């Protein structure tokens, strides 16, 4: 199955993004192509970039750095804190967040993180709608809510300007596949369109001014994670049944295999979600690995009780490639159990996207001792609210690497002691460290691991209060060695003291 040549716009854009990527070369040269339609900032969208790698070229705190933390109270919970472009010539930015009931803007340029403005919004019927957000090159924040997407911007484009709500796009009622359908994940294509998916498998392309709309549907499939986008127009959506590649060519969106789209089965697991999980099937947003002429994969964790890390070829299959085992989809390049260093383990679960840097992938353990998944309504998330309690908290982080020469994957290391209960991890290429919001002895903390060995190098305790509970939010590398994260109580910045 080969990808046909795409619309010329993508050929030109691919060249541009490759040049920009070369100009932005970092300590390890592993940055994916730059999407110039996103805010030019440390973290413009959920999972940081369209590849959803969640790693950063910027420096983070190191073991010897003195760290202070500060909390800004908001309504719960901002899964992503979106950094804006710089303003004028002063180099200052703002940080935006979307919670269940508000959109807020923070000022990270002062000694104390302070709130500039906050705008109330009505709660989504499903709290997952609006968890994923995108900030574009014009500092417009795109926020889903149920079956709509709203634009938030600031008056006169000024740092201190009040937050304003702009245009609202409403999904046509006739394309909704259920009364309780809602928009889940959102991303930005490399030609500047919004890409999004609904919980019942409608995948769509929308122009940023809401004037152009395209969609395809995946009947009978459910989505509970965000989506990935590559520079050739591939839109990657994992459902409770399959990993899907849809193809956008600049004028149309298709599921036609003759135009580069595909669908591949994976081990999706049971029909009921595991404890702490937001849906069935994979618990992870797809992440993309490899670019240019390298091996190229879409990476995720599957839905088995003993979770596996899965790599699927996202473009052309290697010449002569055969399924890795009888009955496995030929798209699967690797499927390896995640045991967090315990070879006897028969169960492992993660709700977080896979952290990617180069050809390495890191996974955190979210297998809670307390199972409240059967409790009614939002009480089903109770286990996550108390995931800092040692008797409930999961332990374990593991890193894997793909070897292009042998076309195989293996575990590099596992740390069985560190606990990253519920948040999305990140890493800094310049500091060569991975970070997560963790817990030690019940206290919420910032944890830092050596990226090469998994050794715990950094621990900064914040406290027992649920205000510090990451509650599914991303750990993010900001500027000046900052680490920021949304929390159940607001937003936290961990700052290296001068």
């Amino acid at each position: 199955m080969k990808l046909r040549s795409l619309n010329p716009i993508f050929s030109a854009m691919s060249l541009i993004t490759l040049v920009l990527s070369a100009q932005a070369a970092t300590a390890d040269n592993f940055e994916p192509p730059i999407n110039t339609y996103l805010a030019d900032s440390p973290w413009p969208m959920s999972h940081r970039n369209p590849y959803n790698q969640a790693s950063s070229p910027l420096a983070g705190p190191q073991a010897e750095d003195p760290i202070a933390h500060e909390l800004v109270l908001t309504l719960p919970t901002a899964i992503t804190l979106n950094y804006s472009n710089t303003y004028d010539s002063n180099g200052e930015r703002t940080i935006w967040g979307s919670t269940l009931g508000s959109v807020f803007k923070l000022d990270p340029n002062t000694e104390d993180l302070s709130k500039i403005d906050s705008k109330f919004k009505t709660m989504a019927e499903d709290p997952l709608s609006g968890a994923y957000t995108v900030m574009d090159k014009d500092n417009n924040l795109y926020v889903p809510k149920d079956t709509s997407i709203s634009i938030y911007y600031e008056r006169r484009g000024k740092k201190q300007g009040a937050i304003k709500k702009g245009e609202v796009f409403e999904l046509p009622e006739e394309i909704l596949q259920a009364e309780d359908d809602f928009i889940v994940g959102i991303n930005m294509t490399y030609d500047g369109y919004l890409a999004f998916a609904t919980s019942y498998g409608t995948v769509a392309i929308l122009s940023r001014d809401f004037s152009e709309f395209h969609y395809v549907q995946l009947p009978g499939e459910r989505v509970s994670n965000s989506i990935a986008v590559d520079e050739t127009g591939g839109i990657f959506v994992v459902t409770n049944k399959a990993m899907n590649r849809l193809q956008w060519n600049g004028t149309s969106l298709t599921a036609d295999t003759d135009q580069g789209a595909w669908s591949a089965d994976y081990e999706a697991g049971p029909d009921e979600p595991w404890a702490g999980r937001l849906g069935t099937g994979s618990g992870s947003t797809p992440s993309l690995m490899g670019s240019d002429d390298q091996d190229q994969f879409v990476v995720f964790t599957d839905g088995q009780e003993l979770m596996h890390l899965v790599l699927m070829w996202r473009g052309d299959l290697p010449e002569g490639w055969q399924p890795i085992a009888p009955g496995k989809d030929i798209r699967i390049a690797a499927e390896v159990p995640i045991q967090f260093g315990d070879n006897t383990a028969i169960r492992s679960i993660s709700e977080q996207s896979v952290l990617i840097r180069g050809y390495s992938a890191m996974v955190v353990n979210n297998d809670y001792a307390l199972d409240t998944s059967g409790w009614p309504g939002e009480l089903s998330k109770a286990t996550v609210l108390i995931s800092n309690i040692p008797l409930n908290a999961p332990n374990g982080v593991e890193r894997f690497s793909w070897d292009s020469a042998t076309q195989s994957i293996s575990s590099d290391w596992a740390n069985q002691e560190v606990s990253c209960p519920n948040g999305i991890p990140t890493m800094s290429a310049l500091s060569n460290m991975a970070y997560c919001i963790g817990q030690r002895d019940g206290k919420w903390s910032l944890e830092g691991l050596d990226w090469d060995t998994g050794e715990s190098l950094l621990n900064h305790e914040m406290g027992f209060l649920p205000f510090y509970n990451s509650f599914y939010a991303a750990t993010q590398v900001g500027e000046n060695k900052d680490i920021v994260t949304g929390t159940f109580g607001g937003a936290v910045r961990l700052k290296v003291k001068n």
Side-chain angles (χ1 to χ4, degrees):
M1 186 183 299
K2 290 186 177 291
L3 285 172
R4 293 184 174 179
S5 59
L6 300 174
N7 188 298
I9 187 172
F10 277 105
S11 298
M13 280 171 46
S14 294
L15 177 60
I16 292 170
T17 52
L18 291 178
V19 171
L20 289 170
S21 293
Q23 292 174 342
T26 63
D28 57 9
N29 295 311
F30 285 145
E31 277 292 277
I34 294 172
N35 188 327
T36 57
Y37 290 91
L38 291 169
D40 182 12
S41 74
W43 211 282
M45 59 169 287
S46 299
H47 304 293
R48 188 175 163 261
N49 50 39
Y51 274 38
N52 292 330
Q53 291 187 342
S55 59
S56 172
L58 302 179
Q62 296 180 309
E64 65 273 14
D65 290 327
I67 298 172
H69 65 269
E70 51 194 328
L71 167 69
V72 176
L73 294 176
T74 71
L75 296 171
T77 304
I79 301 300
T80 301
L81 296 175
N82 305 76
Y83 277 74
S84 74
N85 291 311
T86 55
Y87 294 85
D88 301 324
S89 59
N90 60 13
E92 294 185 347
R93 305 182 190 276
T94 52
I95 299 176
W96 296 59
S98 172
T99 74
L100 292 177
S102 70
V103 172
F104 63 83
K105 183 170 64 164
L106 306 177
D107 186 352
N109 307 289
T110 57
E111 189 64 27
D112 296 320
L113 190 65
S114 59
K115 188 184 296 183
I116 296 173
D117 193 26
S118 180
K119 186 172 184 63
F120 174 79
K121 67 176 185 179
T122 56
M123 290 182 60
E125 292 187 16
D126 192 296
L128 185 55
S129 187
Y132 303 104
T133 53
V134 168
M135 177 161 277
D136 77 0
K137 63 185 182 65
D138 300 314
N139 278 0
N140 295 315
L141 185 70
Y142 294 88
V143 181
K145 185 178 82 72
D146 296 328
T147 57
S148 68
I149 297 176
S150 298
I151 302 175
Y152 291 87
Y153 64 99
E154 53 205 342
R155 180 178 291 174
R156 296 188 297 277
K158 299 295 185 181
K159 186 184 82 172
Q160 297 297 328
I163 297 172
K164 297 294 181 182
K165 184 177 180 180
E167 296 294 319
V168 178
F169 171 81
E170 187 71 37
L171 271 175
E173 187 173 348
E174 61 269 19
I175 75 168
L176 298 178
Q177 300 196 68
E179 289 186 1
D180 58 343
D181 202 0
F182 63 90
I183 297 170
V184 183
I186 188 169
N187 205 316
M188 181 80 75
T189 69
Y190 280 79
D191 59 344
Y193 286 75
L194 299 171
F196 64 88
T198 75
S199 61
Y200 279 85
T202 294
V203 183
I205 294 290
L206 176 67
S207 61
R208 287 178 295 125
D209 64 1
F210 298 164
S211 64
E212 187 179 346
F213 178 63
H214 310 263
Y215 73 95
V216 298
Q217 293 181 316
L218 306 171
E221 300 188 39
R222 299 295 303 272
V223 179
S224 60
N225 302 283
S226 197
I227 62 177
V229 170
D230 75 8
E231 67 275 22
T232 68
I235 312 293
F236 299 88
V237 184
V238 65
T239 72
N240 63 335
K241 300 290 180 64
M243 173 62 75
N244 299 276
R245 175 180 178 142
L246 306 173
Q247 193 62 46
W248 167 246
N249 66 9
T251 58
S252 64
L253 180 68
T254 182
D256 186 349
T257 56
D258 288 336
Q259 297 187 48
W262 52 260
S263 180
D265 293 336
Y266 71 98
E267 300 293 341
D271 293 332
E272 295 295 327
W274 303 107
R277 291 279 301 275
L278 298 174
T280 56
S282 172
S284 68
T285 289
S287 303
L288 304 185
M289 175 185 282
S291 59
D292 308 338
D293 295 327
Q294 307 164 328
D295 291 343
Q296 297 181 13
F297 305 108
V298 55
V299 183
F300 60 105
T301 52
D302 67 16
Q304 299 184 74
E305 184 171 13
L306 179 61
M307 173 181 58
H308 285 55
L309 182 69
V310 182
L311 276 64
M312 287 189 178
W313 300 101
R314 71 176 196 255
D316 291 347
L317 297 173
E319 186 176 352
W321 182 261
Q322 297 296 317
I324 62 171
K328 297 293 183 181
D329 195 288
I330 195 170
R331 282 256 159 219
I332 298 175
E335 185 184 78
V336 58
I338 302 169
Q339 296 177 294
F340 299 110
D342 178 4
N343 293 332
T344 66
I346 59 173
R347 175 184 170 95
S348 64
I349 297 172
S350 184
E351 179 59 23
Q352 312 310 326
S353 64
V354 180
L355 171 63
I356 301 291
R357 195 70 186 174
Y359 278 103
S360 295
M362 194 186 90
V363 183
V364 297
N365 186 13
N366 298 148
D367 187 7
Y368 309 109
L370 176 63
D371 183 357
T372 62
S373 58
W375 293 12
E378 293 310 303
L379 289 176
S380 64
K381 307 299 188 300
T383 189
V384 180
L385 283 171
I386 57 171
S387 55
N388 62 311
I389 296 176
L391 290 176
N392 183 44
N395 292 73
V397 179
E398 189 166 8
R399 197 190 89 160
F400 301 81
S401 289
W402 170 260
D403 186 327
S404 293
T406 63
Q407 293 189 323
S408 63
I409 195 168
S410 59
S411 177
D412 300 316
W413 52 258
N415 185 318
Q416 295 180 305
E417 302 302 321
V418 73
S419 176
C420 305
N422 61 57
I424 305 168
T426 188
M427 75 84 66
S428 158
L430 281 178
S431 300
N432 200 44
M433 287 181 63
Y435 305 95
C436 74
I437 300 303
Q439 68 81 27
R440 289 203 186 188
D441 300 321
K443 286 186 179 180
W444 293 104
S445 60
L446 174 67
E447 300 291 329
L449 307 177
D450 185 294
W451 181 245
D452 292 331
T453 67
E455 178 186 0
S456 293
L457 299 178
L458 186 154
N459 165 249
H460 173 81
E461 294 182 346
M462 292 183 288
F464 295 103
L465 295 176
F467 295 129
Y468 298 113
N469 185 339
S470 47
F471 203 69
Y472 299 111
T475 314
Q476 302 173 208
V477 179
E479 294 180 304
N480 305 311
K481 290 189 171 183
D482 287 356
I483 297 290
V484 299
T485 183
T487 68
F488 186 73
V492 167
R493 176 171 68 173
L494 296 114
K495 186 175 181 65
V496 174
K497 293 186 285 188
N498 295 325

